[in-house]
């Protein structure tokens, strides 16, 4: 490394002392060790998964030729090996992340394989939903006994698949409010990561998987009043965006902040969908009964998400000026007023288009203020997509449409040129 090679010269020129040089050498030595450990953990987990899958394939290839007792033995064998491995880790390798995560992921898949094989051997009735639920419940203790973050991630993916299978892909669909309880059970480990390992890769993965799981699962509460789910989703995306603006997340790289990215993208996508008139025409024709709405699960989901997002919005902005409010942050509140107006008026679709345009312009302004090309181009992209959407559903002439596209394209070039020129002057 060039810095380490230059150390003798820097000491000789009395730029740094020998003590400082030793500290620099220790820093790069520890950094290199941390990188090696991270690779060891990744390859350890991949190795455990491949070994588990390989054993399953070998057994499956000869499955039909085996007796029932032999099949039962092979069904429990991976489970037994996984338990012995985890027991060894707890007794001898408790502080080794690679051993702990590899052993746990092997046991995690062994449990699933054992359940499915025993069900097949003894013809135990059931479906995919009950299999996933049983598997995840049996694997939940692994998160806390082994203090395993990879099992926490697999568990979160598993319960998301379970709720999607139960509500989206099964007919007739069943209610699966159990998902929310299962999610709560995994959160203590997430809090543990936040307190003990806030900058670890496992924490970053949780910052993406948890909001993704919430976005996928919220739609499962929809029954008969689907229109209200737009309010619930706007509230959820607003909540995610506000969580992503907490001090802990803003100090991280943008790509590690899943809450803010999903909250922002989700809000923009919903606004663009609702910038067409079809939804508002259906809404004005809908016959809502107050008694049915107040008892609908969609209303409950909207109310809970609104309270959570509203409280967080208040706490974050109570001492801030209006100009410091991020353009996407208050959209979930504005949308409720727009939705109520849309029950009787056709002007809601106009308001939605104004919101998108305003967000695009204010985002460009934020990008210019922060000297951030990514934010600036994100604002330009929002306006471009809005123009494309209007290209398909307005009666504007092709000349005007062409002028609009040329204007937006010129805006891209001008804004980026101005930003780069500004940077060069400041340098």
């Amino acid at each position: 490394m060039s810095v380490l090679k230059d150390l003798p010269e820097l000491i000789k020129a009395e730029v740094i002392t020998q003590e400082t040089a030793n500290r620099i050498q220790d820093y790069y030595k520890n950094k290199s060790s941390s990188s090696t450990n991270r690779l060891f953990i990744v390859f350890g987990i991949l190795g455990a998964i491949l070994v588990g899958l390989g054993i399953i394939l070998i057994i499956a290839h000869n499955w039909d030729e085996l007796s029932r007792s032999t099949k039962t033995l092979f069904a429990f064998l991976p489970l037994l090996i996984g338990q012995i491995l985890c027991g060894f880790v707890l007794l001898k390798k408790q502080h080794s992340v690679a051993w702990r995560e590899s052993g746990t992921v092997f046991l995690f898949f062994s449990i699933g394989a054992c359940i499915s094989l025993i069900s097949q051997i003894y013809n135990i009735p059931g479906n995919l939903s009950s299999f996933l639920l049983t598997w995840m419940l049996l694997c939940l203790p692994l998160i806390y006994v082994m203090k395993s973050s990879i099992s926490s991630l697999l568990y979160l993916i598993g319960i998301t698949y379970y709720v999607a299978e139960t509500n989206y892909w099964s007919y007739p669909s069943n209610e699966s409010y159990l998902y929310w309880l299962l999610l709560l059970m995994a959160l203590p480990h997430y809090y543990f990561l936040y307190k003990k390992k806030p900058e670890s890769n496992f924490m970053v993965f949780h910052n993406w998987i948890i909001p993704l799981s919430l976005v996928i699962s919220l739609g499962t509460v929809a029954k008969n009043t689907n229109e209200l789910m737009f309010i619930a989703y706007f509230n959820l995306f607003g909540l995610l965006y506000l969580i992503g603006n907490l001090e802990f997340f803003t100090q991280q790289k943008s790509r590690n902040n899943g809450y803010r990215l999903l909250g922002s993208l989700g809000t923009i996508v919903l606004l663009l969908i609702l910038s067409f008139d079809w939804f508002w025409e259906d809404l004005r024709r809908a016959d809502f009964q107050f008694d049915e709405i107040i008892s609908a699960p969609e209303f409950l989901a909207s109310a809970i998400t609104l309270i959570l997002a509203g409280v967080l919005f208040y706490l974050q902005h109570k001492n801030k000026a209006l100009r410091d409010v991020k353009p996407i942050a208050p959209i979930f509140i504005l949308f409720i007023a727009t939705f109520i107006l849309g029950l009787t008026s056709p002007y809601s679709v106009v308001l939605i288009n104004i919101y998108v345009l305003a967000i695009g312009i204010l985002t460009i302004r934020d990008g210019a203020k922060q000297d951030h090309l990514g934010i600036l181009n994100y604002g330009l992209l929002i306006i471009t997509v809005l123009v494309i959407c209007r290209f398909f559903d307005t009666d504007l002439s092709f000349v005007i449409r062409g002028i609009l596209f040329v204007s937006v394209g010129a805006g891209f070039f001008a804004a980026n040129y101005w930003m780069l020129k500004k940077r060069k002057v400041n340098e």
Side-chain angles (χ1 to χ4, degrees):
M1 190 171 291
S2 61
V3 175
L4 296 179
K5 287 178 183 174
D6 293 339
L7 287 179
E9 183 181 339
L10 293 172
I11 295 169
K12 191 176 179 181
E14 297 183 349
V15 177
I16 59 173
T17 63
Q18 183 62 48
E19 185 184 356
T20 306
N22 293 337
R23 288 170 61 188
I24 292 173
Q25 285 177 330
D26 291 342
Y27 171 78
Y28 281 105
K29 189 177 177 182
N30 292 331
K31 190 176 179 183
S32 173
S33 173
S34 172
S35 177
T36 306
N37 287 336
R38 200 177 298 132
L39 280 174
F40 188 49
I41 293 168
V42 171
F43 286 119
I45 292 169
L46 282 175
I49 293 172
L50 290 173
V51 168
L53 291 175
I55 291 172
I56 291 171
L57 281 174
I58 291 169
I59 296 173
H61 180 67
N62 301 291
W63 192 249
D64 292 336
E65 300 170 8
L66 302 175
S67 64
R68 176 175 281 196
S69 55
T70 309
K71 288 178 180 178
T72 306
L73 177 66
F74 276 119
F76 279 101
L77 187 59
L79 185 64
L80 184 63
I81 294 171
Q83 288 177 331
I84 292 172
L85 195 57
C86 286
F88 172 74
V89 170
L90 287 175
L91 292 173
K92 300 289 185 182
K93 297 284 185 182
Q94 198 168 6
H95 299 293
S96 170
V97 179
W99 272 93
R100 191 170 66 241
E101 299 294 353
S102 305
T104 308
V105 78
F106 184 85
L107 182 57
F108 191 99
F109 285 109
S110 298
I111 292 171
C114 184
I115 297 170
S116 60
L117 289 173
I118 293 297
S119 300
Q120 186 204 40
I121 295 166
Y122 295 97
N123 297 317
I124 299 172
N127 54 31
L128 183 55
S129 294
S130 60
F131 164 69
L132 288 169
L133 179 60
T134 308
W135 185 8
M136 292 306 114
L137 284 173
L138 288 174
C139 290
L140 177 62
L142 289 178
I143 300 173
Y144 299 102
V145 174
M146 300 300 296
K147 295 181 181 174
S148 168
S149 296
I150 189 70
S151 61
S152 171
L153 291 169
L154 291 171
Y155 171 83
L156 289 168
I157 294 169
I159 61 173
T160 307
Y161 188 18
Y162 155 72
V163 75
E165 169 64 27
T166 306
N167 284 268
Y168 292 139
W169 303 324
S170 294
Y171 183 83
S173 62
N174 299 310
E175 294 179 348
S176 58
Y177 298 125
L178 188 58
Y179 161 82
W180 303 101
L181 181 61
L182 295 172
L183 180 65
L184 285 176
M185 291 182 191
L187 294 186
H189 181 76
Y190 185 45
Y191 182 73
F192 167 79
L193 284 176
Y194 165 71
K195 296 297 287 185
K196 301 292 183 184
K197 302 172 183 175
E199 296 180 357
S200 67
N201 289 329
F202 286 124
M203 183 68 186
V204 173
F205 288 133
H206 277 79
N207 292 342
W208 275 99
I209 296 293
I210 288 178
L212 264 176
S213 177
L214 286 171
V215 171
I216 293 170
S217 305
L218 182 63
T220 62
V221 304
K223 296 300 174 191
N224 301 316
T225 321
N226 293 332
E227 293 85 355
L228 290 180
M229 288 309 297
F230 280 95
I231 296 178
Y233 265 106
F234 266 108
N235 294 339
L236 176 64
F237 287 128
L239 176 64
L240 296 180
Y241 184 78
L242 291 168
I243 291 173
N245 281 332
L246 293 172
E247 187 179 357
F248 170 76
F249 292 103
T250 53
Q251 291 174 351
Q252 301 188 17
K253 294 176 182 174
S254 295
R255 66 172 180 271
N256 295 342
N257 193 345
Y259 288 96
R260 187 163 63 183
L261 288 175
L262 286 173
S264 175
L265 286 174
T267 301
I268 295 297
V269 169
L270 278 185
L271 284 174
L272 288 169
I273 291 172
L274 297 182
S275 70
F276 294 90
D277 201 34
W278 58 268
F279 170 78
W280 302 103
E281 286 178 357
D282 290 344
L283 186 66
R284 287 194 294 275
R285 284 197 295 266
D287 182 22
F288 293 112
Q289 300 295 325
F290 180 77
D291 293 341
E292 293 178 3
I293 290 177
I294 206 74
S295 59
E298 296 91 337
F299 180 81
L300 183 63
S302 302
I304 292 173
T305 49
L306 176 62
I307 291 170
L308 293 174
V311 169
L312 194 53
F313 181 84
Y314 171 75
L315 292 174
Q316 285 188 4
H317 297 90
K318 61 181 179 181
N319 296 322
K320 286 185 178 177
L322 186 62
R323 63 177 178 275
D324 295 328
V325 178
K326 299 287 183 186
I328 290 178
I331 289 297
F332 71 96
I333 300 171
L334 295 174
F335 179 74
I336 293 174
T338 310
F339 184 89
I340 294 170
L341 178 68
L343 293 170
T344 55
S345 169
Y347 293 110
S348 289
V349 67
V350 179
L351 286 176
I352 293 290
N353 280 272
I354 292 173
Y355 294 158
V356 179
L357 184 63
I359 289 171
I361 294 171
L362 292 173
T363 304
I364 293 170
R365 188 198 66 172
D366 275 355
K369 280 174 65 179
Q370 297 179 34
D371 193 21
H372 195 299
L373 274 175
I375 297 175
L376 184 138
N377 283 309
Y378 181 49
L380 287 166
L381 190 64
I382 291 170
I383 294 176
T384 303
V385 177
L386 180 64
V387 171
I388 292 172
C389 289
R390 296 292 69 78
F391 180 87
F392 292 106
D393 73 337
T394 59
D395 297 327
L396 296 174
S397 69
F398 279 95
V399 175
I400 295 178
R401 292 178 186 183
I403 291 172
L404 281 174
F405 273 100
V406 170
S407 302
V408 173
F412 263 103
F413 284 117
N416 283 278
Y417 175 75
W418 174 76
M419 181 75 82
L420 292 171
K421 190 176 178 183
K422 182 182 167 187
R423 284 184 180 178
K424 194 173 286 184
V425 169
N426 291 334
E427 287 172 0

